[in-house]
Amino acid sequence: MRIYDIIQKKRDNKQLNMQEIEFVINGYVNGEIEDYQMSAFLMAVYFNGMQDEECANFTKCMLNSGETMDLSEIKGIKVDKHSTGGVGDKTTLIVAPIVAACGAKVAKMSGRGLGHTGGTIDKLESISGVKLDLPKERFFEIVNKVGCCIVSQSGNLVPADKKIYALRDVTATVESMPLIASSIMSKKLASGADCILLDVKVGSGAFMKTKEDAINLSKIMVNIGEHCGKKVVAIITDMNEPLGNAIGNAIEVWEVCKVLKGEGPKDLNDICICLASNMLYLANKGTMEECEKMVLDSIKSGKALEKFKEMISEQGGNLEKFIDADNYNIDFKVKHEVFLGKNGYVSSMDTEKIGKAAMVLGAGRKKKEDKIDYSAGIMLNKKIGDKISGNECFAELYSSSLEKCLEAENILKEAVITSQNSVQEKKLIKAKVVADEVEIF
Ligand code: URA
């Protein structure tokens, strides 16, 4: 077999068989296929896509390139979730303890943020003392005891994705449905859960900008799950504005506690209830209605918050300063208020730009090596549809210097559009994709 012939076949829009796919992935991981050849292959996939079976086989080969987690030492049904990434997305930290409080197990491996999107591991690191690189035995012990534990992704899981993603990032081949789907699903399948809920974000802060694209990506990922014998469901949710009011790291943990106390912002609360109910449903905990009731009860009774405290404490951290504060007041040096100077309604937001403003404040990294300022972030006082007057504070910025706040303020002001007319409320939860069925809301 020659890589030249496989590139040519893909260039001519023909379907590759398992042996050819194995040849590409194994050859690239062990260095026999050069970056320039793999780049040409990825570009051919970008233009011609992949058939369902081809994409499932590509995912299986990626999965087999490294270790896979065997979660059989954890008792009960293990359910995982994955978000395709957004701004202010702290849902994992909310739904994991809710699902654990309702009797299913969440043994979750999460990643760091890069660019405008945040990462769960960075948010957790803002809690002093928390350990995220736990040995497997301790990870399992915490899940068995508490019901949930979140650790950083092991370096040996799906090495093919690490190498291919790095190349996609510099060859303009990230935005390819089969490549995104196989990248996400290989990591999810390697994490070993029995069932997987995908939160596919759509809108100005997401990879997928249209509902149609989000549905197509979801179908591909659900189909890969089917091919690999796992129950996978995708929920398509809105990312046309940041989720909740808080964007950053410590500030998002503070907002997580608000939701678990039953005092969270409506959009974040509603999405978490939907995701947690679907995770419980996937884990066979009851009908959708029963699962939703369990979720609501776990928040009302305080059990979900207790689970979060327990998980953090087992991982070495302490949540007191996050739980006790009514307003965000964690360790920032400078607070700066942003006024839009206009009367009207907030009509749209460029969410990606808002994520960039948070990054400028220090809450995210432009390059992998950048250090995060965990207390930096943005608190939005207004969301899409809210009325605002010129002398009302639109957002508070937190950072280590006024200079960073002023730079972020300019980006934020460019990102927010107001209008004189009131704005129609948009659906937060747009569709659900299960095997062979798409339900549009
Ligand atoms: N997230 C991933 O893990 N991979 C992609 O290709 C895109 C988003």
Side-chain angles (χ1 to χ4, degrees):
M1 222 176 275
R2 291 192 320 157
I3 183 65
Y4 180 94
D5 300 322
I6 298 176
I7 296 170
Q8 188 181 46
K9 193 168 172 186
K10 199 66 237 168
R11 183 200 69 190
D12 296 342
N13 201 11
K14 300 202 176 101
Q15 185 173 343
L16 301 181
N17 62 37
M18 189 59 156
Q19 289 70 34
E20 289 162 333
I21 292 170
E22 269 171 355
F23 182 85
V24 173
I25 295 201
N26 297 342
Y28 186 55
V29 171
N30 65 31
E32 282 158 17
I33 293 174
E34 302 287 345
D35 279 353
Y36 58 85
Q37 294 168 312
M38 192 62 178
S39 305
F41 173 80
L42 293 170
M43 192 55 87
V45 173
Y46 176 90
F47 281 116
N48 291 325
M50 279 181 171
Q51 301 298 315
D52 282 355
E53 194 192 346
E54 192 182 15
C55 187
N57 286 339
F58 194 80
T59 310
K60 280 184 200 158
C61 288
M62 300 250 284
L63 172 67
N64 292 334
S65 69
E67 279 176 20
T68 52
M69 286 291 274
D70 174 2
L71 300 183
S72 57
E73 281 171 41
I74 299 171
K75 296 176 215 87
I77 297 185
K78 279 77 68 179
V79 54
D80 199 357
K81 82 157 272 265
H82 178 83
S83 158
T84 54
V87 178
D89 184 359
K90 68 272 297 168
T91 53
T92 292
L93 297 179
I94 300 168
V95 301
I98 291 178
V99 169
C102 298
K105 297 278 167 53
V106 184
K108 178 130 183 62
M109 277 180 273
S110 284
R112 294 181 187 283
L114 187 61
H116 76 281
T117 63
T120 301
I121 292 301
D122 297 325
K123 300 181 211 293
L124 280 170
E125 271 179 353
S126 68
I127 308 167
S128 60
V130 164
K131 291 187 186 58
L132 298 160
D133 56 348
L134 298 172
K136 199 167 80 180
E137 296 69 30
R138 179 72 184 129
F139 176 41
F140 290 179
E141 191 184 19
I142 296 176
V143 183
N144 271 325
K145 183 173 173 196
V146 181
C148 57
C149 183
I150 303 170
V151 293
S152 47
Q153 224 144 43
S154 141
N156 302 327
L157 245 42
V158 201
D161 180 61
K162 251 184 222 100
K163 207 168 168 196
I164 293 174
Y165 194 91
L167 189 63
R168 285 168 60 205
D169 210 18
V170 292
T171 55
T173 50
V174 168
E175 296 89 351
S176 148
M177 296 257 187
L179 295 179
I180 294 176
S182 54
S183 162
I184 292 175
M185 288 306 292
S186 57
K187 286 175 288 196
K188 285 290 106 182
L189 294 166
S191 310
D194 301 305
C195 37
I196 302 160
L197 183 76
L198 301 169
D199 178 8
V200 178
K201 302 281 182 206
V202 60
S204 62
F207 267 120
M208 297 296 123
K209 304 290 180 206
T210 68
K211 191 153 95 179
E212 292 65 39
D213 280 352
I215 289 175
N216 283 338
L217 178 66
S218 301
K219 281 184 182 166
I220 301 173
M221 293 196 286
V222 169
N223 181 66
I224 293 172
E226 286 277 295
H227 266 87
C228 298
K230 294 269 176 191
K231 261 204 291 186
V232 180
V233 167
I235 306 284
I236 295 168
T237 65
D238 185 72
M239 190 34 74
N240 280 306
E241 63 181 329
L243 198 45
N245 296 72
I247 306 148
N249 294 287
I251 196 169
E252 291 199 33
V253 175
W254 172 85
E255 191 166 69
V256 165
C257 296
K258 280 265 174 204
V259 176
L260 293 174
K261 286 196 281 185
E263 301 164 5
K266 185 169 174 355
D267 61 339
L268 178 59
N269 194 56
D270 289 358
I271 284 190
C272 288
I273 290 168
C274 168
L275 297 177
S277 308
N278 274 283
M279 286 170 80
L280 289 172
Y281 182 73
L282 270 171
N284 293 330
K285 290 288 167 191
T287 63
M288 268 312 291
E289 290 71 29
E290 286 164 346
C291 291
E292 188 172 322
K293 183 171 180 317
M294 276 194 266
V295 169
L296 293 170
D297 288 348
S298 76
I299 297 175
K300 210 164 162 199
S301 64
K303 283 190 186 143
L305 181 62
E306 275 313 306
K307 276 286 167 216
F308 189 44
K309 276 201 237 174
E310 221 183 308
M311 179 188 92
I312 295 297
S313 151
E314 288 288 336
Q315 294 190 233
N318 186 325
L319 273 177
E320 251 166 54
K321 70 176 173 186
F322 295 89
I323 291 179
D324 296 342
D326 277 338
N327 296 308
Y328 179 65
N329 63 1
I330 299 172
D331 301 335
F332 53 84
K333 286 209 185 96
V334 179
K335 173 172 150 181
H336 178 73
E337 294 188 333
V338 176
F339 297 85
L340 299 181
K342 291 181 237 173
N343 297 335
Y345 295 87
V346 179
S347 61
S348 72
M349 296 194 197
D350 182 333
T351 311
E352 193 170 328
K353 269 199 185 142
I354 298 179
K356 284 188 182 144
M359 194 167 75
V360 164
L361 291 168
R365 30 176 108 67
K366 280 186 207 128
K367 299 188 290 323
K368 268 198 212 126
E369 316 70 65
D370 290 349
K371 288 246 174 315
I372 281 191
D373 172 358
Y374 292 106
S375 58
I378 302 174
M379 183 74 79
L380 296 175
N381 292 334
K382 300 282 175 184
K383 301 268 292 184
I384 292 179
D386 286 347
K387 204 168 181 181
I388 186 158
S389 65
N391 57 7
E392 265 182 299
C393 171
F394 170 73
E396 285 162 18
L397 310 181
Y398 309 95
S399 191
S400 56
S401 75
L402 181 61
E403 201 186 343
K404 287 183 187 165
C405 288
L406 294 175
E407 190 183 342
E409 175 176 15
N410 284 337
I411 301 173
L412 192 61
K413 281 182 166 168
E414 269 176 28
V416 181
I417 310 284
T418 56
S419 78
Q420 290 310 307
N421 305 321
S422 62
V423 182
Q424 224 186 347
E425 205 177 323
K426 288 216 190 85
K427 288 214 167 89
L428 274 175
I429 297 155
K430 298 182 181 293
K432 178 170 174 172
V433 180
V434 297
D436 300 327
E437 201 186 316
V438 180
E439 197 181 341
I440 307 226
F441 303 117

